[in-house]
């Protein structure tokens, strides 16, 4: 049976949404990640500017999310994050999120699967795990509670 252990929380700060419009794949959006922080028992650090979240809003209204960004640990180690997930909910709730309103995260589904890559020996355990995150969309940020799948 699978279990999940909390490992850290990510608070990623976001730029404005770049709306590409309806492409052959769906409604394309890109949101640049401008910074943020990581806090938890197993990792503390900051999110470096330069990552992004590439989204397709599907025909069924779900956001198909692919994000890549870099964490710098407190001791300067770099960790590449590759995250793929889904966010969906009732249309009125998603509209409120789109306007930047505070919405209780229990009213919508926001989950990601995460993989990590690092050359730092003390963080090598990240190279060998899969993690899942429960997300919350804030006005100009995303909060992810990250759990190691054991």
């Amino acid at each position: 049976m699978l279990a999940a252990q909390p490992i850290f929380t990510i608070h990623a700060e976001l730029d404005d949404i770049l709306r590409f419009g309806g492409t052959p794949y769906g409604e394309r959006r890109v949101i640049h990640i401008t910074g943020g922080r990581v806090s938890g028992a197993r990792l503390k650090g900051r999110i470096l500017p330069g990552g992004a979240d590439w989204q397709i809003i599907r025909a069924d209204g779900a956001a198909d999310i692919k994000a890549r960004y870099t964490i710098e640990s407190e001791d300067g180690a770099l960790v590449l994050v590759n995250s793929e997930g889904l966010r969906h909910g009732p249309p009125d709730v998603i509209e409120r999120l789109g306007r930047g309103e505070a919405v209780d995260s229990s009213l919508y589904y926001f989950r990601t699967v995460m993989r990590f890559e690092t050359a730092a020996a003390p963080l090598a355990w990240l190279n060998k795990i899969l993690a899942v995150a429960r997300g919350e969309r804030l006005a100009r940020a995303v909060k992810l509670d990250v759990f190691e799948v054991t």
Side-chain angles (χ1 to χ4, degrees):
M1 184 160 128
L2 293 177
Q5 300 296 321
I7 52 176
F8 47 79
T9 297
I10 292 173
H11 185 273
E13 298 162 1
L14 306 174
D15 206 346
D16 292 333
I17 298 172
L18 294 175
R19 299 175 192 278
F20 287 68
T23 74
Y25 301 101
E27 184 73 23
R28 171 67 71 184
R29 306 182 326 179
V30 176
I31 304 130
H32 289 102
I33 299 169
T34 60
R37 64 187 179 281
V38 179
S39 58
R42 298 191 63 193
L43 182 63
K44 291 179 178 61
R46 66 186 184 116
I47 306 291
L48 297 179
D53 182 350
W54 292 267
Q55 298 181 357
I56 296 254
I57 307 304
R58 304 182 329 193
D60 64 1
D64 186 319
I65 300 166
K66 292 177 178 37
R68 288 179 67 92
Y69 51 95
T70 303
I71 295 171
E72 181 181 46
S73 71
E74 284 185 321
D75 63 359
L78 298 177
V79 179
L80 177 64
V81 179
N82 186 6
S83 178
E84 296 193 21
L86 291 171
R87 188 182 67 227
H88 60 81
D92 63 311
V93 170
I94 299 303
E95 287 173 16
R96 289 174 53 206
L97 286 174
R99 291 192 299 267
E101 294 179 22
V103 177
D104 185 327
S105 62
S106 69
L107 298 177
Y108 57 96
Y109 184 91
F110 182 4
R111 305 289 186 274
T112 67
V113 176
M114 304 176 83
R115 294 186 68 179
F116 309 97
E117 181 181 343
T118 185
L123 298 175
W125 61 274
L126 286 166
N127 294 321
K128 298 178 182 177
I129 69 165
L130 291 176
V132 293
R134 180 179 52 231
E136 180 178 358
R137 182 63 158 98
L138 307 170
R140 299 286 301 206
V142 167
K143 178 184 173 217
L144 299 168
D145 293 316
V146 182
F147 300 83
E148 177 183 356
V149 177
T150 60

